[in-house]
Amino acid sequence: MANSPSGESLIQRLVRVLHAFDAEHPELTASELAVRADLSSSTAHRLAADMAEEGLLHRTHGGRFRIGLVLWELGQRSSSYQEFGQIALPFMEAVHVTQRQNTSLAILDDQERTIIYLERLISQDVPTDLTKIAGRLPVLSTAAGLAILAFSPRHLQERYLGEPWDPTTRDSGITEGGLRRRLAQTRTDGYVHLRGVTVAGSSGTAAPVFGPGGRVLGSLSIVAQVDQVNLQIQVPALLAAARGLSRQMGFRGTPGPPRRN
């Protein structure tokens, strides 16, 4: 199909339709889709109907739309991220059971400059815990993101530090020098701990997970209220889980600084 008058491709419009759905908007009418996806009413109605016919969307008896099972099926069938999450679960459960804190697995979405959570185990209702499966948070203001970035190639670190920061990081009062020191300390310690950056009262502790050749794949993290932090107990458990998962993912060797490429 040809591009729209605005120059937007069909794929771009389909992605906008899918992005219109979220936890607060699991079902939408075609008219609501048009508004949230910034499409004309006729385009939204046509795309929603076509996507429902192919199973990408599901049309309810009330005429509303929600994400279809085909997307879930394709993701389960072919995603390497799904496999990563499944392999990580036993290691996450070990942390979850022994530490009794919310435990998550995150990866970097470099294109969107965010981390995205693949798995999450909940020990208690922490009102300040913003992590959720398939949820996104900024890289520079989360322990999970900094644990990944610290062991990423230098050019990637420089890009994140040099480009405009997300509002949470910008308003936290931290400086570029402070972030550089934190990344360096993370490479030395093998983990990172943040208190009250994303949400006041929330604490995040994260360790990187490596794959073949020492490439960082993601990070395991614990989120707890600041008054429940005990790094002397939590960090060894977290590091043991991250190292065990790294071995399962094909890493051989001792974690160290990223290659300077």
Side-chain angles (χ1 to χ4, degrees):
M1 183 180 292
N3 287 0
S4 66
S6 66
E8 203 173 38
S9 70
L10 173 60
I11 295 297
Q12 289 172 313
R13 281 174 280 167
L14 291 176
V15 169
R16 283 168 62 185
V17 168
L18 294 174
H19 276 300
F21 297 92
D22 57 26
E24 287 72 40
H25 303 87
E27 291 188 1
L28 297 167
T29 66
S31 297
E32 290 168 338
L33 265 177
V35 173
R36 286 185 55 79
D38 194 21
L39 297 169
S40 69
S41 179
S42 60
T43 297
H45 279 76
R46 184 181 70 253
L47 287 178
D50 289 346
M51 293 170 75
E53 185 174 341
E54 298 299 327
L56 298 175
L57 296 182
H58 171 76
R59 193 198 304 262
T60 69
H61 292 301
R64 301 172 72 84
F65 295 91
R66 64 172 181 256
I67 297 294
L69 283 175
V70 166
L71 287 176
W72 174 84
E73 180 184 7
L74 292 174
Q76 294 288 316
R77 188 186 301 165
S78 60
S79 174
S80 60
Y81 303 126
Q82 176 70 18
E83 181 182 6
F84 186 23
Q86 291 300 309
I87 294 173
L89 276 175
F91 299 95
M92 294 175 61
E93 287 169 355
V95 176
H96 176 254
V97 169
T98 60
Q99 303 306 306
R100 299 182 180 180
Q101 300 292 348
N102 295 356
T103 309
S104 302
L105 172 70
I107 59 172
L108 178 69
D109 184 345
D110 185 40
Q111 186 172 2
E112 297 293 329
R113 299 186 67 216
T114 62
I115 54 169
I116 184 167
Y117 290 92
L118 298 185
E119 294 289 349
R120 181 183 184 229
L121 298 176
I122 304 174
S123 289
Q124 54 187 299
D125 183 17
V126 180
T128 55
D129 185 359
L130 300 182
T131 65
K132 58 183 179 180
I133 294 177
R136 294 175 181 270
L137 286 175
V139 172
L140 296 180
S141 56
T142 56
L146 290 178
I148 297 171
L149 191 63
F151 291 89
S152 296
R154 171 62 67 86
H155 70 84
L156 191 63
Q157 296 178 24
E158 293 300 326
R159 205 181 86 203
Y160 274 85
L161 293 171
E163 292 179 355
W165 295 355
D166 63 274
T168 302
T169 306
R170 189 175 62 243
D171 297 340
S172 68
I174 194 169
T175 64
E176 180 180 334
L179 275 174
R180 290 185 183 278
R181 287 190 293 273
R182 189 179 293 275
L183 292 174
Q185 191 65 47
T186 301
R187 289 191 293 272
T188 298
D189 296 340
Y191 75 94
V192 61
H193 176 69
L194 291 182
R195 298 169 64 97
V197 175
T198 304
V199 179
S202 177
S203 166
T205 309
V209 176
F210 300 94
R215 181 172 66 91
V216 65
L217 302 178
S219 64
L220 290 178
S221 62
I222 294 173
V223 174
Q225 293 175 303
V226 293
D227 60 356
Q228 296 180 350
V229 174
N230 187 334
L231 294 182
Q232 290 183 332
I233 296 175
Q234 293 167 353
V235 168
L238 187 63
L239 289 176
R243 289 164 182 165
L245 178 54
S246 295
R247 288 192 294 270
Q248 285 293 106
M249 296 305 297
F251 175 66
R252 301 292 181 266
T254 302
R259 293 184 298 273
R260 302 304 188 188
N261 54 357

